[in-house]
Protein backbone atom coordinates (compact mmCIF):
# COMPACT_ATOMS: atom_id res chain seq x y z
CA UNK A 1 0.00 0.00 0.00
CA UNK A 2 1.37 3.40 -1.03
CA UNK A 3 1.56 6.41 1.30
CA UNK A 4 -1.37 8.01 -0.55
CA UNK A 5 -3.47 4.85 -0.22
CA UNK A 6 -2.60 4.56 3.46
CA UNK A 7 -3.57 8.19 4.08
CA UNK A 8 -6.88 7.72 2.24
CA UNK A 9 -7.70 4.57 4.17
CA UNK A 10 -6.97 6.26 7.52
CA UNK A 11 -9.02 9.32 6.60
CA UNK A 12 -12.02 7.27 5.54
CA UNK A 13 -11.80 5.12 8.66
CA UNK A 14 -11.54 8.21 10.89
CA UNK A 15 -14.69 9.76 9.43
CA UNK A 16 -16.54 6.45 9.47
CA UNK A 17 -15.71 5.92 13.15
CA UNK A 18 -16.78 9.48 13.99
CA UNK A 19 -20.07 8.96 12.17
CA UNK A 20 -20.67 5.61 13.83
CA UNK A 21 -20.20 7.24 17.22
CA UNK A 22 -22.55 10.07 16.27
CA UNK A 23 -25.18 7.83 14.66
CA UNK A 24 -26.91 7.24 18.00
CA UNK A 25 -27.42 10.98 18.49
CA UNK A 26 -28.68 11.52 14.95
CA UNK A 27 -31.07 8.59 15.29
CA UNK A 28 -32.76 10.32 18.25
CA UNK A 29 -33.57 13.51 16.32
CA UNK A 30 -37.26 14.25 15.92
CA UNK A 31 -39.21 15.14 12.80
CA UNK A 32 -38.81 18.90 13.28
CA UNK A 33 -35.04 18.62 13.62
CA UNK A 34 -34.72 16.49 10.50
CA UNK A 35 -37.08 18.77 8.58
CA UNK A 36 -34.90 21.75 9.50
CA UNK A 37 -31.82 20.01 8.10
CA UNK A 38 -33.67 19.50 4.85
CA UNK A 39 -34.76 23.15 4.80
CA UNK A 40 -31.16 24.30 5.22
CA UNK A 41 -30.23 22.08 2.27
CA UNK A 42 -33.05 23.55 0.20
CA UNK A 43 -32.16 27.14 1.07
CA UNK A 44 -28.50 26.64 0.23
CA UNK A 45 -29.31 25.15 -3.14
CA UNK A 46 -31.70 27.96 -4.05
CA UNK A 47 -29.13 30.58 -3.01
CA UNK A 48 -26.45 29.00 -5.22
CA UNK A 49 -28.34 28.26 -8.43
CA UNK A 50 -25.88 30.17 -10.64
CA UNK A 51 -23.03 28.07 -9.22
CA UNK A 52 -24.94 24.86 -9.95
CA UNK A 53 -25.72 25.90 -13.53
CA UNK A 54 -22.11 26.90 -14.19
CA UNK A 55 -20.70 23.68 -12.73
CA UNK A 56 -22.87 21.54 -14.96
CA UNK A 57 -22.21 23.61 -18.05
CA UNK A 58 -18.49 23.25 -17.37
CA UNK A 59 -18.88 19.49 -16.93
CA UNK A 60 -20.88 18.74 -20.10
CA UNK A 61 -22.58 21.87 -21.40
CA UNK A 62 -25.87 20.99 -19.75
CA UNK A 63 -28.45 23.69 -20.63
CA UNK A 64 -29.68 25.77 -17.70
CA UNK A 65 -33.29 24.67 -18.18
CA UNK A 66 -32.24 21.03 -18.04
CA UNK A 67 -30.28 21.77 -14.86
CA UNK A 68 -33.42 23.23 -13.31
CA UNK A 69 -35.66 20.40 -14.56
CA UNK A 70 -33.50 17.32 -14.12
CA UNK A 71 -31.36 18.39 -11.18
CA UNK A 72 -32.82 21.23 -9.11
CA UNK A 73 -36.56 20.54 -9.31
CA UNK A 74 -35.90 16.87 -8.62
CA UNK A 75 -34.26 17.87 -5.33
CA UNK A 76 -36.50 20.75 -4.28
CA UNK A 77 -39.75 18.85 -4.87
CA UNK A 78 -38.40 15.84 -2.95
CA UNK A 79 -37.36 18.02 0.01
CA UNK A 80 -40.74 19.76 0.14
CA UNK A 81 -42.57 16.45 -0.05
CA UNK A 82 -40.43 14.90 2.71
CA UNK A 83 -40.80 17.90 5.02
CA UNK A 84 -44.56 17.90 4.56
CA UNK A 85 -44.94 14.20 5.35
CA UNK A 86 -42.06 13.42 7.70
CA UNK A 87 -44.06 13.52 10.95
CA UNK A 88 -46.53 10.99 9.60
CA UNK A 89 -43.77 8.77 8.25
CA UNK A 90 -42.05 8.69 11.63
CA UNK A 91 -45.19 7.90 13.65
CA UNK A 92 -45.54 4.33 14.91
CA UNK A 93 -47.53 2.45 12.30
CA UNK A 94 -50.26 0.53 14.08
CA UNK A 95 -51.08 -2.92 12.75
CA UNK A 96 -54.09 -5.13 13.55
CA UNK A 97 -53.89 -7.68 16.34
CA UNK A 98 -54.95 -11.18 15.25
CA UNK A 99 -57.36 -13.03 17.48
CA UNK A 100 -54.68 -15.53 18.43
CA UNK A 101 -52.62 -12.66 19.94
CA UNK A 102 -55.43 -11.09 21.95
CA UNK A 103 -54.09 -9.04 24.83
CA UNK A 104 -51.30 -7.44 22.79
CA UNK A 105 -50.92 -4.22 20.80
CA UNK A 106 -48.63 -4.17 17.76
CA UNK A 107 -46.94 -1.53 15.66
CA UNK A 108 -44.03 -0.84 13.31
CA UNK A 109 -41.30 1.54 14.39
CA UNK A 110 -39.21 3.13 11.65
CA UNK A 111 -35.67 3.39 12.94
CA UNK A 112 -32.60 4.54 10.99
CA UNK A 113 -30.29 1.91 9.56
CA UNK A 114 -27.29 3.90 10.85
CA UNK A 115 -24.12 4.40 8.82
CA UNK A 116 -24.97 4.70 5.13
CA UNK A 117 -22.91 5.12 1.97
CA UNK A 118 -24.17 6.92 -1.14
CA UNK A 119 -22.28 6.39 -4.39
CA UNK A 120 -23.70 8.61 -7.13
CA UNK A 121 -23.19 8.79 -10.92
CA UNK A 122 -22.19 11.48 -13.40
CA UNK A 123 -25.27 11.82 -15.60
CA UNK A 124 -27.34 13.74 -13.02
CA UNK A 125 -24.45 14.42 -10.66
CA UNK A 126 -26.28 16.62 -8.16
CA UNK A 127 -29.80 15.16 -8.14
CA UNK A 128 -28.69 11.54 -7.89
CA UNK A 129 -26.37 12.40 -5.00
CA UNK A 130 -28.75 14.60 -3.02
CA UNK A 131 -32.02 12.74 -3.59
CA UNK A 132 -30.92 9.64 -1.65
CA UNK A 133 -29.33 11.92 0.96
CA UNK A 134 -32.75 13.52 1.53
CA UNK A 135 -34.17 10.08 2.33
CA UNK A 136 -31.18 9.22 4.51
CA UNK A 137 -31.56 12.43 6.53
CA UNK A 138 -35.32 12.01 6.78
CA UNK A 139 -34.80 8.51 8.19
CA UNK A 140 -32.21 9.75 10.72
CA UNK A 141 -28.96 8.34 9.35
CA UNK A 142 -25.38 9.56 9.07
CA UNK A 143 -23.90 9.39 5.58
CA UNK A 144 -20.67 9.26 3.61
CA UNK A 145 -20.94 10.23 -0.07
CA UNK A 146 -18.83 9.48 -3.14
CA UNK A 147 -19.80 11.55 -6.21
CA UNK A 148 -18.51 10.81 -9.69
CA UNK A 149 -15.07 11.98 -10.75
CA UNK A 150 -16.35 12.36 -14.34
CA UNK A 151 -18.17 15.58 -13.40
CA UNK A 152 -15.51 17.29 -11.26
CA UNK A 153 -17.07 20.77 -11.20
CA UNK A 154 -20.37 19.47 -9.84
CA UNK A 155 -18.61 17.16 -7.39
CA UNK A 156 -16.61 20.13 -6.13
CA UNK A 157 -19.83 22.11 -5.59
CA UNK A 158 -21.40 19.15 -3.83
CA UNK A 159 -18.45 18.80 -1.47
CA UNK A 160 -18.51 22.51 -0.62
CA UNK A 161 -22.25 22.51 -0.01
CA UNK A 162 -22.14 19.53 2.31
CA UNK A 163 -19.09 20.78 4.23
CA UNK A 164 -20.76 24.19 4.63
CA UNK A 165 -23.95 22.66 6.01
CA UNK A 166 -22.95 19.55 7.97
CA UNK A 167 -20.28 18.43 10.38
CA UNK A 168 -18.32 15.55 8.88
CA UNK A 169 -19.45 13.25 11.68
CA UNK A 170 -22.94 13.54 10.19
CA UNK A 171 -22.49 13.91 6.41
CA UNK A 172 -19.19 13.88 4.51
CA UNK A 173 -18.27 13.91 0.82
CA UNK A 174 -15.17 12.22 -0.60
CA UNK A 175 -14.11 13.09 -4.12
CA UNK A 176 -11.88 10.86 -6.20
CA UNK A 177 -11.82 7.96 -8.62
CA UNK A 178 -12.65 4.27 -8.32
CA UNK A 179 -9.92 3.83 -5.70
CA UNK A 180 -11.91 5.94 -3.25
CA UNK A 181 -15.06 3.92 -3.91
CA UNK A 182 -13.12 0.68 -3.46
CA UNK A 183 -11.78 1.79 -0.08
CA UNK A 184 -15.21 3.00 1.03
CA UNK A 185 -16.74 -0.36 0.16
CA UNK A 186 -14.36 -2.06 2.58
CA UNK A 187 -16.02 -0.28 5.51
CA UNK A 188 -18.88 -1.98 7.42
CA UNK A 189 -21.74 0.29 6.41
CA UNK A 190 -25.27 -0.63 7.44
CA UNK A 191 -26.71 0.35 4.06
CA UNK A 192 -25.31 1.26 0.64
CA UNK A 193 -27.19 3.26 -1.98
CA UNK A 194 -25.56 2.97 -5.40
CA UNK A 195 -26.64 4.48 -8.71
CA UNK A 196 -24.84 3.34 -11.85
CA UNK A 197 -24.30 0.48 -14.25
CA UNK A 198 -25.35 -3.11 -13.48
CA UNK A 199 -21.73 -4.30 -13.85
CA UNK A 200 -20.61 -2.01 -11.01
CA UNK A 201 -23.79 -2.76 -9.06
CA UNK A 202 -22.66 -6.37 -8.84
CA UNK A 203 -19.32 -5.26 -7.38
CA UNK A 204 -21.12 -3.11 -4.81
CA UNK A 205 -23.41 -5.96 -3.86
CA UNK A 206 -20.47 -8.35 -3.39
CA UNK A 207 -18.74 -5.82 -1.13
CA UNK A 208 -21.94 -5.29 0.86
CA UNK A 209 -22.24 -9.05 1.36
CA UNK A 210 -18.96 -9.07 3.32
CA UNK A 211 -20.71 -7.00 6.02
CA UNK A 212 -24.25 -8.24 5.38
CA UNK A 213 -25.18 -4.66 4.55
CA UNK A 214 -28.47 -3.96 2.82
CA UNK A 215 -28.32 -2.27 -0.58
CA UNK A 216 -30.35 -0.06 -2.86
CA UNK A 217 -29.12 -0.42 -6.43
CA UNK A 218 -30.47 2.05 -8.97
CA UNK A 219 -29.16 0.53 -12.19
CA UNK A 220 -30.48 0.65 -15.74
CA UNK A 221 -30.82 -1.44 -18.85
CA UNK A 222 -32.60 -1.32 -22.15
CA UNK A 223 -35.95 0.39 -21.60
CA UNK A 224 -38.35 -0.26 -24.50
CA UNK A 225 -40.94 2.09 -25.95
CA UNK A 226 -43.82 0.06 -27.38
CA UNK A 227 -45.89 2.00 -29.93
CA UNK A 228 -48.93 0.24 -31.37
CA UNK A 229 -51.02 0.96 -34.45
CA UNK A 230 -53.59 2.99 -32.45
CA UNK A 231 -51.11 5.43 -30.90
CA UNK A 232 -50.91 9.15 -31.62
CA UNK A 233 -47.68 8.83 -33.57
CA UNK A 234 -46.83 12.53 -33.59
CA UNK A 235 -47.07 12.76 -29.80
CA UNK A 236 -45.20 9.50 -29.32
CA UNK A 237 -42.40 10.72 -31.61
CA UNK A 238 -42.15 14.09 -29.85
CA UNK A 239 -42.01 12.49 -26.42
CA UNK A 240 -39.43 9.96 -27.55
CA UNK A 241 -37.28 12.66 -29.17
CA UNK A 242 -37.39 14.65 -25.94
CA UNK A 243 -36.38 11.54 -23.98
CA UNK A 244 -33.33 11.00 -26.20
CA UNK A 245 -32.39 14.69 -26.36
CA UNK A 246 -32.70 15.54 -22.68
CA UNK A 247 -29.22 15.45 -21.14
CA UNK A 248 -28.06 14.12 -24.52
CA UNK A 249 -29.81 10.83 -23.82
CA UNK A 250 -27.63 10.21 -20.77
CA UNK A 251 -30.59 9.24 -18.60
CA UNK A 252 -31.15 5.82 -17.05
CA UNK A 253 -34.88 5.91 -17.85
CA UNK A 254 -34.50 7.27 -21.39
CA UNK A 255 -36.09 5.23 -24.17
CA UNK A 256 -33.44 2.74 -25.26
CA UNK A 257 -35.22 1.33 -28.28
CA UNK A 258 -38.58 1.62 -30.02
CA UNK A 259 -40.81 -1.31 -30.92
CA UNK A 260 -43.42 0.05 -33.31
CA UNK A 261 -46.14 -1.59 -35.36
CA UNK A 262 -44.75 -1.99 -38.86
CA UNK A 263 -47.61 0.01 -40.37
CA UNK A 264 -46.56 3.11 -38.42
CA UNK A 265 -42.78 3.04 -38.86
CA UNK A 266 -42.56 5.57 -41.71
CA UNK A 267 -44.92 7.99 -39.97
CA UNK A 268 -42.85 7.73 -36.80
CA UNK A 269 -39.60 8.48 -38.64
CA UNK A 270 -41.15 11.53 -40.31
CA UNK A 271 -42.60 12.76 -37.02
CA UNK A 272 -39.33 12.16 -35.15
CA UNK A 273 -37.40 14.20 -37.71
CA UNK A 274 -39.97 17.02 -37.44
CA UNK A 275 -39.79 16.94 -33.63
CA UNK A 276 -36.01 17.36 -33.70
CA UNK A 277 -36.33 20.23 -36.16
CA UNK A 278 -38.77 21.95 -33.82
CA UNK A 279 -36.60 21.40 -30.75
CA UNK A 280 -33.20 22.19 -32.23
CA UNK A 281 -34.04 24.37 -35.25
CA UNK A 282 -30.92 24.54 -37.44
CA UNK A 283 -29.47 21.46 -35.78
CA UNK A 284 -28.51 20.22 -32.33
CA UNK A 285 -24.86 21.10 -32.96
CA UNK A 286 -25.70 24.81 -32.98
CA UNK A 287 -28.43 24.67 -30.34
CA UNK A 288 -27.91 25.98 -26.82
CA UNK A 289 -30.60 23.50 -25.71
CA UNK A 290 -28.48 20.41 -26.36
CA UNK A 291 -25.88 19.05 -23.97
CA UNK A 292 -22.77 17.05 -24.83
CA UNK A 293 -21.53 13.57 -24.01
CA UNK A 294 -19.75 13.71 -20.67
CA UNK A 295 -16.25 12.82 -21.94
CA UNK A 296 -14.26 11.42 -24.86
CA UNK A 297 -14.39 7.84 -23.57
CA UNK A 298 -18.17 7.82 -23.62
CA UNK A 299 -18.20 9.63 -26.97
CA UNK A 300 -16.01 6.88 -28.44
CA UNK A 301 -18.27 4.24 -26.89
CA UNK A 302 -21.31 5.73 -28.63
CA UNK A 303 -19.49 6.23 -31.92
CA UNK A 304 -18.42 2.61 -31.68
CA UNK A 305 -22.07 1.54 -31.32
CA UNK A 306 -23.00 3.63 -34.34
CA UNK A 307 -20.13 2.39 -36.52
CA UNK A 308 -20.74 -1.22 -35.52
CA UNK A 309 -24.46 -0.98 -36.34
CA UNK A 310 -23.81 0.57 -39.75
CA UNK A 311 -21.14 -2.02 -40.56
CA UNK A 312 -23.64 -4.78 -39.74
CA UNK A 313 -26.39 -3.39 -41.96
CA UNK A 314 -28.26 -0.76 -39.94
CA UNK A 315 -29.59 2.31 -41.76
CA UNK A 316 -29.25 5.83 -40.38
CA UNK A 317 -32.54 7.52 -41.27
CA UNK A 318 -32.15 10.59 -39.06
CA UNK A 319 -28.94 12.25 -37.87
CA UNK A 320 -25.71 10.31 -37.60
CA UNK A 321 -23.20 13.16 -37.27
CA UNK A 322 -20.45 13.06 -34.62
CA UNK A 323 -17.74 15.56 -33.62
CA UNK A 324 -14.99 14.18 -31.41
CA UNK A 325 -13.60 17.59 -30.47
CA UNK A 326 -16.94 18.53 -28.89
CA UNK A 327 -17.98 15.06 -27.67
CA UNK A 328 -21.00 15.72 -29.88
CA UNK A 329 -23.37 13.03 -31.04
CA UNK A 330 -26.32 14.13 -33.14
CA UNK A 331 -29.82 12.80 -32.30
CA UNK A 332 -29.86 9.69 -34.48
CA UNK A 333 -32.51 7.21 -35.58
CA UNK A 334 -31.51 3.78 -36.87
CA UNK A 335 -33.55 1.10 -38.63
CA UNK A 336 -32.72 -2.42 -39.80
CA UNK A 337 -31.06 -3.15 -36.47
CA UNK A 338 -30.44 -6.64 -35.11
CA UNK A 339 -29.44 -8.26 -31.85
CA UNK A 340 -25.96 -9.04 -33.20
CA UNK A 341 -25.21 -5.30 -33.02
CA UNK A 342 -23.64 -3.83 -29.87
CA UNK A 343 -26.27 -1.10 -29.81
CA UNK A 344 -28.89 -3.77 -29.05
CA UNK A 345 -26.79 -5.53 -26.45
CA UNK A 346 -25.75 -2.71 -24.11
CA UNK A 347 -27.61 0.21 -22.55
CA UNK A 348 -27.02 3.06 -25.01
CA UNK A 349 -26.93 6.05 -22.64
CA UNK A 350 -26.83 8.54 -25.48
CA UNK A 351 -28.93 10.06 -28.29
CA UNK A 352 -28.87 7.02 -30.58
CA UNK A 353 -32.24 5.31 -31.03
CA UNK A 354 -32.82 1.94 -32.74
CA UNK A 355 -36.28 1.34 -34.23
CA UNK A 356 -37.64 -2.20 -34.44
CA UNK A 357 -40.96 -3.19 -35.98
CA UNK A 358 -43.52 -5.87 -35.18
CA UNK A 359 -46.65 -7.33 -36.78
CA UNK A 360 -48.43 -8.82 -33.75
CA UNK A 361 -48.44 -8.22 -30.01
CA UNK A 362 -46.98 -11.62 -29.19
CA UNK A 363 -43.74 -10.65 -30.97
CA UNK A 364 -43.37 -7.68 -28.62
CA UNK A 365 -43.79 -9.76 -25.49
CA UNK A 366 -41.37 -12.44 -26.69
CA UNK A 367 -38.73 -9.85 -27.53
CA UNK A 368 -39.02 -7.73 -24.36
CA UNK A 369 -39.19 -10.74 -22.06
CA UNK A 370 -36.19 -12.27 -23.82
CA UNK A 371 -34.00 -9.52 -22.37
CA UNK A 372 -33.18 -8.45 -18.81
CA UNK A 373 -36.03 -6.78 -16.94
CA UNK A 374 -35.93 -3.06 -17.80
CA UNK A 375 -35.84 -0.12 -15.43
CA UNK A 376 -38.67 1.51 -17.38
CA UNK A 377 -41.16 0.35 -19.98
CA UNK A 378 -43.19 2.78 -22.09
CA UNK A 379 -46.44 2.07 -23.89
CA UNK A 380 -48.07 4.34 -26.47
CA UNK A 381 -51.56 3.24 -27.39
CA UNK A 382 -55.21 4.33 -27.30
CA UNK A 383 -56.47 0.73 -27.11
CA UNK A 384 -57.07 -0.25 -23.47
CA UNK A 385 -56.89 -3.96 -24.31
CA UNK A 386 -53.48 -3.52 -25.94
CA UNK A 387 -52.26 -1.45 -22.97
CA UNK A 388 -53.39 -4.12 -20.51
CA UNK A 389 -51.82 -6.85 -22.62
CA UNK A 390 -48.41 -5.15 -22.74
CA UNK A 391 -48.60 -4.21 -19.06
CA UNK A 392 -49.71 -7.57 -17.74
CA UNK A 393 -47.34 -9.70 -19.81
CA UNK A 394 -44.11 -7.82 -19.00
CA UNK A 395 -42.14 -6.82 -15.91
CA UNK A 396 -40.35 -3.52 -15.36
CA UNK A 397 -39.28 -1.23 -12.56
CA UNK A 398 -41.85 1.36 -13.63
CA UNK A 399 -44.19 1.82 -16.57
CA UNK A 400 -45.50 4.98 -18.21
CA UNK A 401 -48.44 4.96 -20.60
CA UNK A 402 -48.68 7.62 -23.32
CA UNK A 403 -45.72 9.62 -22.03
CA UNK A 404 -42.09 9.07 -21.07
CA UNK A 405 -39.83 9.60 -18.02
CA UNK A 406 -42.46 11.33 -15.86
CA UNK A 407 -42.40 8.57 -13.23
CA UNK A 408 -39.20 9.84 -11.61
CA UNK A 409 -40.82 13.15 -10.71
CA UNK A 410 -43.75 11.65 -8.79
CA UNK A 411 -42.77 11.28 -5.14
CA UNK A 412 -45.92 9.23 -4.51
CA UNK A 413 -44.63 6.42 -6.76
CA UNK A 414 -41.82 3.98 -5.92
CA UNK A 415 -38.88 4.33 -8.30
CA UNK A 416 -36.41 1.54 -8.98
CA UNK A 417 -35.63 -1.48 -11.07
CA UNK A 418 -36.08 -5.23 -11.02
CA UNK A 419 -33.09 -7.59 -10.69
CA UNK A 420 -30.57 -6.51 -13.35
CA UNK A 421 -32.12 -3.04 -13.55
CA UNK A 422 -32.06 -2.49 -9.81
CA UNK A 423 -32.86 -3.60 -6.28
CA UNK A 424 -34.93 -1.54 -3.86
CA UNK A 425 -37.00 1.60 -4.35
CA UNK A 426 -36.61 5.33 -3.86
CA UNK A 427 -38.86 8.43 -3.99
CA UNK A 428 -40.77 9.91 -1.08
CA UNK A 429 -41.95 7.45 1.54
CA UNK A 430 -40.34 4.56 -0.35
CA UNK A 431 -36.94 6.22 -0.05
CA UNK A 432 -37.57 6.89 3.65
CA UNK A 433 -38.37 3.20 4.12
CA UNK A 434 -35.27 2.17 2.16
CA UNK A 435 -33.04 3.91 4.72
CA UNK A 436 -35.10 2.64 7.68
CA UNK A 437 -35.31 -0.59 9.60
CA UNK A 438 -38.96 -1.54 9.93
CA UNK A 439 -38.88 -2.71 13.52
CA UNK A 440 -41.89 -4.76 14.59
CA UNK A 441 -42.99 -4.15 18.19
CA UNK A 442 -45.49 -6.24 20.19
CA UNK A 443 -46.61 -5.11 23.62
CA UNK A 444 -48.48 -7.35 26.05
CA UNK A 445 -51.39 -5.37 27.53
CA UNK A 446 -53.11 -8.15 29.43
CA UNK A 447 -53.28 -11.93 29.56
CA UNK A 448 -50.54 -14.48 28.98
CA UNK A 449 -49.53 -17.43 26.80
CA UNK A 450 -49.01 -19.46 29.94
CA UNK A 451 -51.79 -21.88 29.05
CA UNK A 452 -49.56 -23.20 26.25
CA UNK A 453 -46.45 -23.74 28.37
CA UNK A 454 -45.15 -27.30 28.99
CA UNK A 455 -46.01 -29.88 30.06
CA UNK A 456 -47.99 -30.53 26.87
CA UNK A 457 -51.05 -32.20 28.33
CA UNK A 458 -54.14 -33.36 26.47
CA UNK A 459 -55.79 -30.01 27.30
CA UNK A 460 -52.89 -28.09 25.74
CA UNK A 461 -53.23 -30.24 22.61
CA UNK A 462 -56.97 -29.50 22.44
CA UNK A 463 -56.31 -25.76 22.70
CA UNK A 464 -53.71 -25.94 19.91
CA UNK A 465 -56.11 -27.94 17.74
CA UNK A 466 -58.67 -25.14 18.16
CA UNK A 467 -56.04 -22.49 17.30
CA UNK A 468 -55.00 -24.31 14.14
CA UNK A 469 -58.62 -24.88 13.07
CA UNK A 470 -60.16 -21.47 13.80
CA UNK A 471 -57.39 -18.87 14.07
Amino acid sequence: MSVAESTLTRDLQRVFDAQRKNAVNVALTNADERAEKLKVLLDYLMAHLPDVEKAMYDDFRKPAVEVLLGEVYTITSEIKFARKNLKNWMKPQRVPTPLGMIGTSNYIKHEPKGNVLIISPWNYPLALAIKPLISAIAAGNVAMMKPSELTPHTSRFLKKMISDLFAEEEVAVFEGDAEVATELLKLPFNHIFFTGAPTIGKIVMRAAADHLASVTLELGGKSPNIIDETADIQKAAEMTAWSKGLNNGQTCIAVDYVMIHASKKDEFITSYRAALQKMYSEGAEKSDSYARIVNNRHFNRLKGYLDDAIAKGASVVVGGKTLAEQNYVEPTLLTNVGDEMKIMQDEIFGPLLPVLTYQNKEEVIAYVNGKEKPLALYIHSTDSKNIDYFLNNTTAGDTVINDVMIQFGNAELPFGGVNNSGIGKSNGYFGFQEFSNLRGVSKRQFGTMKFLYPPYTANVRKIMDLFVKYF
Side-chain angles (χ1 to χ4, degrees):
M1 179 182 294
S2 68
V3 174
E5 290 173 327
S6 178
T7 301
L8 172 63
T9 300
R10 285 198 302 269
D11 195 30
L12 295 177
Q13 187 69 58
R14 176 185 60 79
V15 174
F16 179 86
D17 290 341
Q19 289 198 354
R20 172 172 277 184
K21 185 177 180 180
N22 189 38
V24 177
N25 301 320
V26 175
L28 294 174
T29 54
N30 59 36
D32 288 337
E33 290 168 324
R34 296 179 192 179
E36 181 59 28
K37 294 175 185 179
L38 295 178
K39 184 177 185 302
V40 167
L41 195 58
L42 174 64
D43 291 345
Y44 188 100
L45 185 61
M46 295 305 295
H48 293 82
L49 285 181
D51 298 329
V52 174
E53 292 176 11
K54 184 179 186 307
M56 293 195 184
Y57 186 86
D58 290 344
D59 279 331
F60 49 122
R61 288 177 61 169
K62 185 177 283 197
V65 172
E66 290 190 6
V67 173
L68 293 176
L69 173 63
E71 304 276 359
V72 177
Y73 175 72
T74 296
I75 296 170
T76 58
S77 60
E78 182 82 4
I79 289 176
K80 292 171 186 175
F81 187 81
R83 294 186 75 240
K84 178 182 178 182
N85 293 284
L86 190 50
K87 284 187 179 180
N88 284 331
W89 294 349
M90 290 179 64
K91 286 178 181 177
Q93 183 180 330
R94 296 289 174 183
V95 297
T97 299
L99 194 57
M101 291 191 66
I102 192 168
T104 67
S105 62
N106 302 273
Y107 64 93
I108 298 169
K109 180 182 186 297
H110 289 86
E111 61 183 20
K113 287 188 174 178
N115 288 68
V116 304
L117 171 63
I118 298 169
I119 302 177
S120 53
W122 53 264
N123 59 324
Y124 291 88
L126 191 67
L128 296 182
I130 297 300
K131 192 161 182 174
L133 180 64
I134 294 166
S135 296
I137 291 172
N141 298 277
V142 294
M144 294 173 72
M145 306 174 69
K146 162 63 177 73
S148 174
E149 70 276 14
L150 300 187
T151 47
H153 299 90
T154 307
S155 293
R156 198 172 304 131
F157 171 83
L158 181 64
K159 182 175 179 65
K160 184 178 189 308
M161 177 174 68
I162 295 302
S163 61
D164 285 350
L165 298 180
F166 296 94
E168 69 174 9
E169 60 265 27
E170 184 167 358
V171 185
V173 173
F174 289 88
E175 296 178 276
D177 57 15
E179 179 190 340
V180 177
T182 299
E183 290 301 310
L184 280 165
L185 288 171
K186 293 177 182 178
L187 296 169
F189 287 98
N190 303 116
H191 186 78
I192 300 172
F193 193 111
F194 169 80
T195 306
T199 51
I200 309 301
K202 293 175 184 178
I203 295 172
V204 172
M205 198 167 183
R206 289 189 196 102
D210 287 342
H211 305 290
L212 294 178
S214 56
V215 295
T216 307
L217 304 177
E218 298 280 11
L219 306 177
K222 300 190 73 61
S223 296
N225 186 13
I226 303 166
I227 305 174
D228 77 2
E229 67 276 19
T230 74
D232 184 323
I233 299 300
Q234 181 179 339
K235 283 187 178 179
E238 289 173 346
M239 291 169 176
T240 307
W242 172 70
S243 165
K244 295 300 284 185
L246 182 74
N247 203 37
N248 215 184
Q250 299 167 117
T251 305
C252 60
I253 53 173
V255 172
D256 205 82
Y257 64 96
V258 165
M259 286 207 77
I260 190 167
H261 193 275
S263 65
K264 298 295 180 179
K265 184 187 80 168
D266 291 343
E267 183 182 351
F268 178 82
I269 293 170
T270 300
S271 297
Y272 196 88
R273 186 181 292 112
L276 293 176
Q277 172 66 27
K278 189 174 181 180
M279 291 177 187
Y280 305 118
S281 187
E282 297 179 24
E285 180 189 348
K286 299 177 181 178
S287 174
D288 59 6
S289 298
Y290 193 70
R292 294 296 185 265
I293 301 304
V294 68
N295 60 22
N296 190 250
R297 178 169 66 86
H298 282 281
F299 167 84
N300 286 328
R301 175 181 60 81
L302 289 165
K303 191 174 186 307
Y305 290 161
L306 182 58
D307 292 344
D308 173 76
I310 293 170
K312 292 175 180 174
S315 301
V316 175
V317 293
V318 175
K321 184 177 181 179
T322 61
L323 295 171
E325 63 273 17
Q326 291 187 26
N327 292 328
Y328 169 80
V329 178
E330 186 177 15
T332 299
L333 211 58
L334 298 110
T335 59
N336 300 321
V337 293
D339 282 354
E340 73 281 3
M341 300 173 186
K342 292 178 182 178
I343 200 168
M344 292 307 300
Q345 296 168 5
D346 303 326
E347 182 178 8
I348 297 170
F349 230 62
L352 309 177
L353 181 63
V355 178
L356 289 75
T357 60
Y358 71 92
Q359 295 287 349
N360 58 71
K361 298 193 295 289
E362 292 74 20
E363 292 178 61
V364 177
I365 299 306
Y367 189 82
V368 172
N369 289 346
K371 295 183 175 293
E372 296 281 6
K373 297 171 185 176
L375 179 58
L377 184 142
Y378 302 107
I379 302 168
H380 283 85
S381 173
T382 58
D383 185 319
S384 59
K385 290 183 179 179
N386 282 356
I387 292 170
D388 288 344
Y389 179 81
F390 293 135
L391 188 64
N392 294 333
N393 288 279
T394 57
T395 299
D398 293 287
T399 292
V400 177
I401 300 165
N402 292 325
D403 209 330
V404 294
M405 301 204 306
I406 58 174
Q407 71 273 33
F408 189 69
N410 187 349
E412 299 281 5
L413 284 174
F415 177 82
V418 184
N419 299 130
N420 195 72
S421 58
I423 295 173
K425 301 294 181 180
S426 61
N427 270 17
Y429 179 59
F430 306 98
F432 172 80
Q433 282 193 311
E434 202 75 4
F435 283 96
S436 300
N437 172 44
L438 276 61
R439 184 176 183 177
V441 180
S442 292
K443 182 179 180 181
R444 173 66 67 182
Q445 304 280 24
F446 62 87
T448 178
M449 296 293 287
K450 196 172 182 178
F451 57 90
L452 294 178
Y453 292 175
Y456 298 130
T457 63
N459 283 337
V460 173
R461 174 58 192 255
K462 286 179 182 179
I463 293 171
M464 279 311 308
D465 285 342
L466 291 172
F467 265 71
V468 171
K469 186 173 183 179
Y470 294 109
F471 302 149

